[in-house]
Amino acid sequence: MHDNSRCINCERAVADAAQKFCPNCGQPTPAHRIDWHFLGHELEHSVLHMDRGILYSLKQLMLRPGPLLRDYIEGRRGNQVKPLLLITVMSAVVVLLNRLVVGTGMMDMSGSVNSTGALNTSAEAQALMSGFMSASRSVGDWINAHFAAFTLLLLPIEASVKWLVFRRYSKLNYPEWLVITALLTVQVFVIWTVLILL
Ligand SMILES: [Zn+2]
C-alpha cells in the first residue's frame, strides 16, 4: 500500500503528521479508503455542515446576502461553496420540483376537463374544450420546463447590463458581476423552491 510520508496524488513529501492537505495539490493527506464512513463524511462536509457547505451557503445567501457577496468578492471564500455548484444544485432542485408539481397539476386539470365535459350537452363543444385545455396545458408545461433554463441563459446578459450601468461607480469587473448575478439567481431559485413547496 501507499506510505503516508508522501502525497499520493503528486508525490510531494508530507511536512508533518498534523498536515491535513497537500500544499501542492490540495489532496487530503493521508488519503482514506472509500467506505461507508468516508461517504458519510463526504456528505456531511459537502452538504450538511453548519459552518460551511451547500446548506450553510444557502442560509447565508438568504439571511445576510450583502455580507456574503462582499466577502466573496473581497476574497473571503474559504467557508463558501462555489457559486457554480450552488447554481447547478438549485436549478436542478427547481426543475425537479416543477416536474413533480406539474405532474400533479396535470391530473387535476384532466379531472376538471371531465367535469366541464359532463356539463356540456354538445360533444363538439366538449372536444373543442378538451383540445383547448390540452393545448394550454402543454404551453404551461413547456414554460415550466424551460423557465429555469431561460433564467440561466439570461444570466450573462443580466451581468453585462449591471456591469455597463455601474461601470462609472464601481470597480467591479465583468466576471465579478457574473458571480454576483449568479448568487442572486441562486437566491431567486431558493425563493421559487419555497413557493413551489407551498
Ligand atoms: Zn499533492
Side-chain angles (χ1 to χ4, degrees):
M1 260 307 264
H2 174 72
D3 79 297
N4 288 333
S5 65
R6 290 187 173 277
C7 168
I8 196 169
N9 192 45
C10 73
E11 294 293 317
R12 183 184 164 127
V14 170
D16 69 296
Q19 177 187 307
K20 284 184 171 176
F21 299 95
C22 170
N24 187 42
C25 72
Q27 155 83 36
T29 52
H32 294 288
R33 180 175 181 178
I34 297 173
D35 54 15
W36 287 113
H37 177 80
F38 175 86
L39 285 186
H41 222 250
E42 289 280 285
L43 183 71
E44 188 193 335
H45 278 278
S46 55
V47 183
L48 303 172
H49 247 217
M50 275 302 125
D51 59 342
R52 57 200 299 144
I54 293 175
L55 289 182
Y56 170 76
S57 286
L58 289 178
K59 192 182 84 187
Q60 294 285 303
L61 191 59
M62 299 317 286
L63 297 182
R64 32 193 300 279
L68 178 128
L69 288 175
R70 197 176 318 117
D71 281 356
Y72 204 87
I73 293 301
E74 288 173 0
R76 292 179 292 277
R77 304 170 194 135
N79 294 338
Q80 300 302 336
V81 171
K82 290 192 170 60
L84 188 65
L85 179 64
L86 276 187
I87 203 162
T88 309
V89 167
M90 279 319 295
S91 49
V93 166
V94 166
V95 167
L96 278 176
L97 273 178
N98 242 336
R99 285 280 150 85
L100 291 174
V101 170
V102 166
T104 53
M106 264 162 68
M107 275 185 256
D108 292 340
M109 267 203 193
S110 56
S112 69
V113 168
N114 287 340
S115 60
T116 45
L119 289 173
N120 272 317
T121 43
S122 159
E124 220 171 284
Q126 189 183 333
L128 204 72
M129 187 65 188
S130 67
F132 172 73
M133 288 302 275
S134 71
S136 64
R137 198 188 305 153
S138 54
V139 169
D141 280 1
W142 195 85
I143 292 174
N144 270 329
H146 298 89
F147 209 64
F150 272 138
T151 311
L152 289 180
L153 283 176
L154 283 177
L155 210 150
I157 301 168
E158 217 180 305
S160 61
V161 170
K162 284 177 185 158
W163 175 67
L164 282 171
V165 169
F166 294 110
R167 206 164 34 151
R168 287 184 173 195
Y169 317 103
S170 108
K171 287 178 190 155
L172 296 178
N173 60 24
Y174 180 69
E176 284 167 339
W177 278 116
L178 209 52
V179 164
I180 291 172
T181 313
L183 287 170
L184 293 177
T185 304
V186 170
Q187 212 179 21
V188 171
F189 282 167
V190 172
I191 294 167
W192 277 10
T193 304
V194 173
L195 288 180
I196 292 170
L197 289 175
L198 291 177

